[in-house]
Amino acid sequence: MDENKSLEIALGKLSLQENDVIVVKFKYGNCPVDNLARFMDAIRNISSCPVIAIPDDLDIGVENIDRVIQYLEDMKKT
C-alpha cells in the first residue's frame, strides 16, 4: 500500500474536527531531522489542520504565556 494512502487512513481514524491540531511526538535522538520533516510535510499535504512536533524525551523550557497564546492564536488564523 502506498505510504500516503496509509497516512490518509491513519489521519481519517483521528476524526479531525475544526480547530484540532495534529500533535506528533517523537524521540529526539532516534528520529533524523530529514525523516521528521518529510513526515510532517506529508501530513500537511493531506490535512488542513495545523501540525506540531513535540519531542517526548527532551526537557521543555519555560516560555512567556502571553507569547504562547499569541503564537497559538496566529496559528489558528492560518
Side-chain angles (χ1 to χ4, degrees):
M1 182 180 284
D2 176 55
E3 286 181 20
N4 283 346
K5 189 64 173 173
S6 296
L7 189 54
E8 287 179 29
I9 291 169
L11 290 176
K13 290 180 180 181
L14 294 177
S15 300
L16 298 168
Q17 305 294 316
E18 186 177 336
N19 292 327
D20 281 351
V21 176
I22 299 171
V23 179
V24 176
K25 290 172 49 175
F26 66 97
K27 299 286 184 197
Y28 179 74
N30 297 338
C31 185
V33 174
D34 291 343
N35 291 356
L36 179 61
R38 282 193 298 273
F39 183 71
M40 298 289 285
D41 287 343
I43 293 173
R44 286 187 192 105
N45 288 336
I46 295 170
S47 175
S48 61
C49 292
V51 183
I52 61 171
I54 299 176
D56 72 351
D57 61 343
L58 187 70
D59 290 331
I60 306 295
V62 176
E63 181 63 62
N64 177 281
I65 189 69
D66 293 325
R67 285 194 295 253
V68 172
I69 291 169
Q70 186 61 54
Y71 174 76
L72 293 173
E73 287 176 344
D74 291 346
M75 182 187 294
K76 185 177 176 181
K77 292 175 188 174
T78 59

